[in-house]
Amino acid sequence: MNNNRLLIDTNPSQQKLSGTRVSHIGFRVPDIEATTVFYQRVLGMAVHENSLEGVVRLGWGSGHHVIELTSGKYALTHFGFETQDSESINALQSRLEDANVVVRALDAAYMDAAVGDPQGIEFEDPDGNRVHFHTAMDHLGEHQADIGRRPIRFQHTTVGSDDVKRMVAFYANIVGFSLSDQLSNGNFAWLRSDRDHHTLAVVDIGMRGQLDHYSFDLSEWEDFKQWCDRLTDLNVEVTWGPGRHGPGNNLFVFFDDPAGTHIELSAEMEKFHDDLVTYVPRLWEPTPRSVNLWGGQLSKFRKMAKEA
Ligand SMILES: [Fe+2]
């Protein structure tokens, strides 16, 4: 196979992440109250009582928070990942420092439901995004069946960039993500850190430091179908989908929160078994049909820097 168009070397010798899931994501929003109400009303989240002054943290049940809102001009403030153990954090810190990336201890406020002794680090990626990694948190309240009324968990983050190759090199070669798929022109890449096809993705939108979208997982088709009806009932406009992505093979439907953040609900994402099989990243042709197998239409919200 000709790998010349792959964004990274497929046989790196460095340590790879495993069992590492997304953890939380933060936004600065102009109307914190309206955004909070939206997450309560539409996503079934509750405000955490331990939220600090001027900060609203939301999640399901009493476990780790998922969303952090602060007030101000709209921005992505940070996004986080959760490892299974402190050895993974220590190894990641070493890899980052060997690459001259400044690593700071993560504020304890971001580890508000730790299982055991919390350990966390914070660093900036090449685009200046603030990234958190921390040890395991309690996720009480997730994964409880409540079909059509509450997603089961926060599932992936897709960041916009103006240099996908540089971002993928950083996340794959230093942080330890594995490349699952990419568009053959290099403008979109999907990276994994656990069994899911992607927990992080990077898309070229011609600018850096901006979120493209983030996603919640639903349990199955029945749940997905009921969510599409529920969005209608709640008068939430669908902005893209429903459809099925080629990369990841997941069902998707998109809508916005009041601050304009693009939210995806997803189900049936492809699973990877790195302990059993070796994968070669696939090169998807940059056509509308690749990112939407059912209908072929592209998202209205995404302004790709170059033709997808
Ligand atoms: Fe997505």
Side-chain angles (χ1 to χ4, degrees):
M1 178 182 172
N2 179 1
N3 277 347
N4 289 342
R5 290 187 294 168
L6 276 178
L7 288 161
I8 58 161
D9 178 0
T10 52
N11 296 304
S13 56
Q14 83 287 350
Q15 209 171 333
K16 305 303 287 183
L17 295 173
S18 65
T20 300
R21 54 168 287 175
V22 292
S23 157
H24 55 244
I25 189 164
F27 307 103
R28 212 164 52 224
V29 297
D31 189 339
I32 197 166
E33 187 163 341
T35 309
T36 300
V37 168
F38 180 88
Y39 281 103
Q40 292 171 310
R41 184 177 77 93
V42 178
L43 278 309
M45 289 187 176
V47 174
H48 280 207
E49 289 175 7
N50 62 358
S51 294
L52 305 171
E53 185 73 23
V55 176
V56 174
R57 291 205 171 103
L58 299 116
W60 295 290
S62 58
H64 187 53
H65 74 278
V66 174
I67 306 286
E68 182 188 87
L69 303 175
T70 49
S71 196
K73 186 168 182 264
Y74 183 77
L76 170 67
T77 57
H78 61 270
F79 51 91
F81 297 90
E82 177 180 321
T83 65
Q84 290 181 322
D85 51 45
S86 56
E87 288 75 25
S88 304
I89 299 285
N90 294 334
L92 172 59
Q93 181 162 357
S94 296
R95 295 197 297 276
L96 289 163
E97 290 176 344
D98 287 348
N100 296 316
V101 176
V102 175
V103 178
R104 294 176 292 273
L106 182 61
D107 188 317
Y110 291 109
M111 298 182 280
D112 54 346
V115 176
D117 286 336
Q119 188 178 346
I121 58 174
E122 179 187 66
F123 56 90
E124 289 187 5
D125 70 18
D127 281 3
N129 298 305
R130 280 174 58 205
V131 186
H132 298 172
F133 270 78
H134 57 71
T135 47
M137 298 291 138
D138 174 8
H139 291 280
L140 202 66
E142 295 186 17
H143 303 282
Q144 291 176 5
D146 195 2
I147 296 290
R149 278 197 284 273
R150 189 180 58 183
I152 55 174
R153 63 179 182 131
F154 175 27
Q155 200 280 323
H156 69 262
T157 304
T158 298
V159 290
S161 181
D162 60 358
D163 193 338
V164 173
K165 189 178 178 71
R166 184 175 67 158
M167 285 281 275
V168 169
F170 175 78
Y171 278 103
N173 296 337
I174 299 171
V175 182
F177 282 82
S178 299
L179 180 65
S180 295
D181 280 329
Q182 65 169 80
L183 289 188
S184 60
N185 61 9
N187 288 346
F188 212 142
W190 292 266
L191 300 145
R192 68 184 180 278
S193 56
D194 61 13
R195 288 217 190 279
D196 285 351
H197 173 273
H198 58 282
T199 47
L200 176 69
V202 185
V203 57
D204 189 340
I205 59 167
M207 60 185 87
R208 63 187 64 176
Q210 295 206 2
L211 185 77
D212 182 77
H213 71 272
Y214 75 101
S215 177
F216 295 111
D217 210 12
L218 305 179
S219 63
E220 47 159 333
W221 167 248
E222 186 67 23
D223 196 8
F224 186 90
K225 186 179 71 174
Q226 291 201 32
W227 263 98
C228 291
D229 286 333
R230 176 174 156 79
L231 293 173
T232 300
D233 292 344
L234 293 173
N235 207 22
V236 174
E237 187 191 351
V238 168
T239 58
W240 190 27
R244 186 186 288 280
H245 290 312
N249 198 42
N250 48 320
L251 303 167
F252 69 88
V253 62
F254 282 76
F255 55 93
D256 288 355
D257 76 11
T261 301
H262 308 310
I263 300 171
E264 176 184 13
L265 297 178
S266 165
E268 300 186 357
M269 184 176 279
E270 184 178 3
K271 298 293 179 189
F272 277 60
H273 298 272
D274 287 287
D275 49 340
L276 299 172
V277 62
T278 300
Y279 296 93
V280 176
R282 293 166 295 194
L283 293 163
W284 290 83
E285 288 309 313
T287 65
R289 198 160 179 81
S290 291
V291 288
N292 190 350
L293 293 170
W294 288 356
Q297 86 273 21
L298 288 167
S299 64
K300 284 181 282 182
F301 67 79
R302 182 176 299 135
K303 299 284 181 275
M304 300 278 287
K306 300 157 209 146
E307 273 305 295

